[in-house]
Amino acid sequence: MTTDADWLGRALALATRNVSEGGGPFGALVVGADGGILAEGVNRVTRDNDPTAHAEVTAIRRACATIGDFSLAGATLYTSCEPCPMCLASALWSRVSRIVFAADRHDAERAGFDDRAFYSVFETPSTTWRSPSVEELRVDAANAPFEAWLAAADRTEY
């Protein structure tokens, strides 16, 4: 049986190898309920010019593609570092049952990856955010997509 520490060791090895290959120092993997690896991911932000290509998001995308479902219920996300708000939200949307991480946000900050501004933004009303400016403009058709969704008999609930 593989332990949480073993899986974290694998995530850390992915992260370390990714640095030597020109990527960011983050690695993640998704382990299914049966104990098998569904997918791995590394930070590819600068390599792919994709600000959403964090290790956790990449691993979640690949795991969902592997199983052919958007739900990773029963799975565990192992990651080399505490998930940033985007990665945490992605994990929540994917319905992973557990998240296990090694280093925390303060360790990441010491290495130059300071997510404090992202964590704190959610603690304040969007009308006070400096960048980006987030504004609601309520137009007549604002609910049209939701009405179409509710009317679609063949929709996939999530």
Side-chain angles (χ1 to χ4, degrees), residues 1 12 27 104 109 121 144 152 154:
M1 180 173 171
L12 291 163
D104 67 19
E109 180 181 348
V121 77
D154 62 344

Side-chain angles (χ1 to χ4, degrees), residues 50-105:
D50 179 354
T52 68
H54 289 203
E56 298 90 339
V57 173
T58 302
I60 289 167
R61 287 174 179 160
R62 290 178 177 166
C64 289
T66 296
I67 65 169
D69 197 334
F70 59 84
S71 175
L72 295 173
T76 300
L77 173 65
Y78 291 94
T79 181
S80 62
C81 188
E82 180 179 3
C84 74
M86 177 183 69
C87 293
L88 179 58
S90 298
L92 294 171
W93 277 110
S94 76
R95 295 165 177 77
V96 295
S97 295
R98 294 177 66 219
I99 302 169
V100 182
F101 62 90
D104 67 19
R105 67 181 84 172

Side-chain angles (χ1 to χ4, degrees), residues 13-26 40-48 62:
L14 287 167
T16 303
R17 186 174 72 231
N18 196 50
V19 170
S20 70
E21 295 172 355
F26 303 95
E40 297 178 337
V42 293
N43 181 287
R44 300 184 54 88
V45 171
T46 56
R47 206 174 327 165
D48 294 353
R62 290 178 177 166

Side-chain angles (χ1 to χ4, degrees), residues 120-153:
S120 67
V121 77
F122 297 112
E123 298 170 358
T124 61
S126 62
T127 55
T128 66
W129 297 355
R130 292 184 188 200
S131 178
S133 171
V134 178
E135 304 167 18
E136 179 181 16
L137 176 58
R138 199 74 177 172
V139 295
D140 291 340
N143 279 313
F146 298 121
E147 291 166 5
W149 168 257
L150 291 170

